[in-house]
Amino acid sequence: MGRLIAVVLFVALLVPGVLLARAWGLAAGRRAVAGAAVELATPTPEGTATLQRQALHGRRWRRLGLLLGIAGVVASVVAFAEASVFLWVPLLVLGSLAGVLLAEVTRQRPRWQLSAPARRPRQGEQISGWLVWTMRAVVAAELVLAGWSWSSGDLDGPVAWALVAVPLAAWLLAEAALLRALLRPLPADGADVPVDEALRTWSAHLVVAAASVSALLPLGSLLLRVGLDLGERVGEGFDVLPVAFVAGGFSALAAGVAVAAFLLSWLRPVPSSTPALAG
């Protein structure tokens, strides 16, 4: 009976990760609709220039983030030699996520004429509120678990600092980018409204996905570590708590990989070379 309960609990705790991946799949449809609206519209020259300028800005920052990750790999090799091999992938991922977040939070305001009086869209028109609050909940859970592991002596100082600072910084950058997209007024010319909506939708999904990945992957690793440690202390007896931690860890890791896959496929900028623009 104990093993049956463990299996049922394990499967049940995998469900949140599956639901989160499903929600991001639906978000892909929202982005596709926003991109199709741009392809069907004929933006003003300012709108076309904005699309091209924003695409160039994003590529520059993402390349810079990748270069920062490579520089981190080189520095880890110099500092830790062969032991640094386990840091290569995390450093590259961290640099790439930093490039995505910095690209969105530093975007310049479009140069088209703004609506007067100022009109602003709701955040729900850009991204699902469920995804935004899930990002916040995941970051909070990761910070709490990292702080608890740190205070109990299970984490060393540098590792604990990294597990706290990285998700916290990613969350703050994501919130800043979301706030900028929310407070920016709509353009005055109706032809540029689809472009503006697509830019907001692209930016909101990129930053929320990047911040979610930065918290889900370390959260999953921490949950697995805590669950395995608890399992060793329990020994041969049965305890639901280690199973819950391990299942939660697998769920968080699976969700983090799924969101990262969506993020990689979404790095393409808002389409600008469309039949309407070319013709």
Side-chain angles (χ1 to χ4, degrees), residues 102-114:
L102 291 172
E104 301 307 318
V105 81
T106 59
R107 287 192 183 277
Q108 297 179 350
R109 284 197 172 194
R111 298 175 183 175
W112 52 49
Q113 185 177 358
L114 301 178

Side-chain angles (χ1 to χ4, degrees), residues 111-230:
R111 298 175 183 175
W112 52 49
Q113 185 177 358
L114 301 178
S115 60
R119 293 180 292 111
R120 296 177 175 86
R122 296 177 299 174
Q123 191 175 76
E125 299 173 3
Q126 305 165 25
I127 186 172
S128 170
W130 193 83
L131 293 177
V132 176
W133 282 104
T134 299
M135 171 198 70
R136 294 166 178 166
V138 169
V139 172
E142 197 279 338
L143 293 178
V144 170
L145 186 57
W148 176 74
S149 300
W150 191 0
S151 63
S152 62
D154 294 333
L155 291 178
D156 296 332
V159 176
W161 274 111
L163 291 176
V164 170
V166 171
L168 181 60
W171 170 67
L172 291 176
L173 289 174
E175 291 289 353
L178 288 173
L179 186 61
R180 290 193 63 191
L182 187 63
L183 295 181
R184 187 175 74 240
L186 290 170
D189 198 317
D192 290 328
V193 171
V195 175
D196 183 65
E197 291 179 347
L199 289 174
R200 295 176 197 262
T201 302
W202 249 245
S203 181
H205 284 85
L206 284 175
V207 297
V208 172
S212 298
V213 171
S214 71
L216 281 169
L217 296 181
L219 175 62
S221 302
L222 285 173
L223 287 172
L224 281 177
R225 177 173 178 173
V226 173
L228 294 175
D229 290 342
L230 289 176

